[in-house]
Amino acid sequence: MTTSTPTALHAPHGHLLPTPMPLLSRSAWAAFLLALLLVCAVAPVLNLLVPAGSLFHLSDYAMGLVGKIMCYAICALAMDLIWGFSGILSLGHGVFFALGGYVMGMYLMRQIGTDGNYKSHLPDFMVFLDWKTLPWHWHFSDSFAATLFLVVAVPGAVAFVFGYFAFRSRIKGVYFSIITQAMTFAAMLLFFRNETGFGGNNGFTDFKRILNIPIATQEMRMTLFVLTGVTLLGFFLLARWLIASKFGRVLQAIRDAESRVMFSGYSPLGYKLTVWTLSAMMCGVAGALYVPQVGIINPSEMSPANSIEIAIWAAVGGRATLIGPILGAFIVNGAKSWLTVTYPEFWLYFLGALFIGVTLYLPQGVVGLVKKLSHSGETKRTKGLKP
């Protein structure tokens, strides 16, 4: 006897899950189009056409900083999909970010050609280690098309295999978080080893070109900036569409009451594995966009501290809001850029205090605080209008 698929899911306390919502409201579409305009038109004009001495000039440093933070925002958005909407806290998402970065870094190292210090077609670190040929996992690194595929395929494959065994074994909660942290720490130790062919502790750097175009030009930096911004906005729309669909409502039901979802005839494994793999792919794309803008990738990107920071961005901005983690990435990394220059010794204390303060006093993050203040203001105005 087969079990018929239920037409509706019930959330905790017996309430029906909300019906599908529109992708974006009118005001949200206006904000989205404004952000797209800022990324694709305003920022390039301020950087390329406005004179450097002008108050409105966007410096190369500011452009690079914002571009880097937008890569982080993609990771925060990916974290919100699995933590905010699915209830899966990962403390190892930095490994997917780094894997995407390493795939792009391998392509950029091949693009150096014979312009390296040793004038060899092999990357400099391989010549230094007296290697004669490329390792097997480098054979497709000279193809940009293959690189684009591997940027999502490698993190996605690793996440799928890891998630399949973890979710099938019904590992959840703090135990899942600990295992993901162990995974990224093990990957970091593996990439630190010279014999793996990933540059050891130095990683990859000294990039020259991308698609045979010099990477250090202002035009290329702006192209990468615009591409990163468009990718972030595209992923936001994808996440919004996903959460607004039936798939997203099932994810939220799994987050709130997984056992009741199972009794309703749904298997949580497929849903959790799908969103987990998609989240890893998003981080891989973010890493691939990050590397050419920053100019280096090494195993430190896989450190557990980096993965914890991704969770902090989501918590500070506001989980289960999509826009909140993006704001959280900008707020935290903006503060980090300022504090690490002016008061570097206090940055880690500030980060820890911020996470504790948000957990205790702002469980819904900055977006939740704004909504609360807005609702409070509307209530006061409503009371003031009563006779």
Side-chain angles (χ1 to χ4, degrees), residues 93-94 97 299-311 313 336:
H93 254 45
F97 177 83
S300 64
E301 296 295 342
M302 296 183 182
S303 68
N306 286 11
S307 296
I308 294 173
E309 280 196 40
I310 297 175
W313 303 335
K336 181 179 182 179

Side-chain angles (χ1 to χ4, degrees), residues 184-214:
T184 189
F185 188 73
M188 182 183 68
L189 295 180
L190 176 66
F191 275 67
F192 265 122
R193 301 180 66 87
N194 286 324
E195 59 267 29
T196 57
F198 295 109
N201 62 327
N202 294 319
F204 304 148
T205 189
D206 194 30
F207 307 131
K208 307 291 186 185
R209 290 173 291 273
I210 181 170
L211 289 173
N212 293 317
I213 303 172

Side-chain angles (χ1 to χ4, degrees), residues 81-97:
L81 280 177
I82 59 168
W83 187 23
F85 290 97
S86 308
I88 305 169
L89 175 58
S90 168
L91 296 181
H93 254 45
V95 70
F96 306 127
F97 177 83

Side-chain angles (χ1 to χ4, degrees), residues 281-297:
M281 290 178 174
M282 291 171 62
C283 286
V285 173
L289 291 167
Y290 173 87
V291 168
Q293 295 184 80
V294 176
I296 188 172
I297 179 70

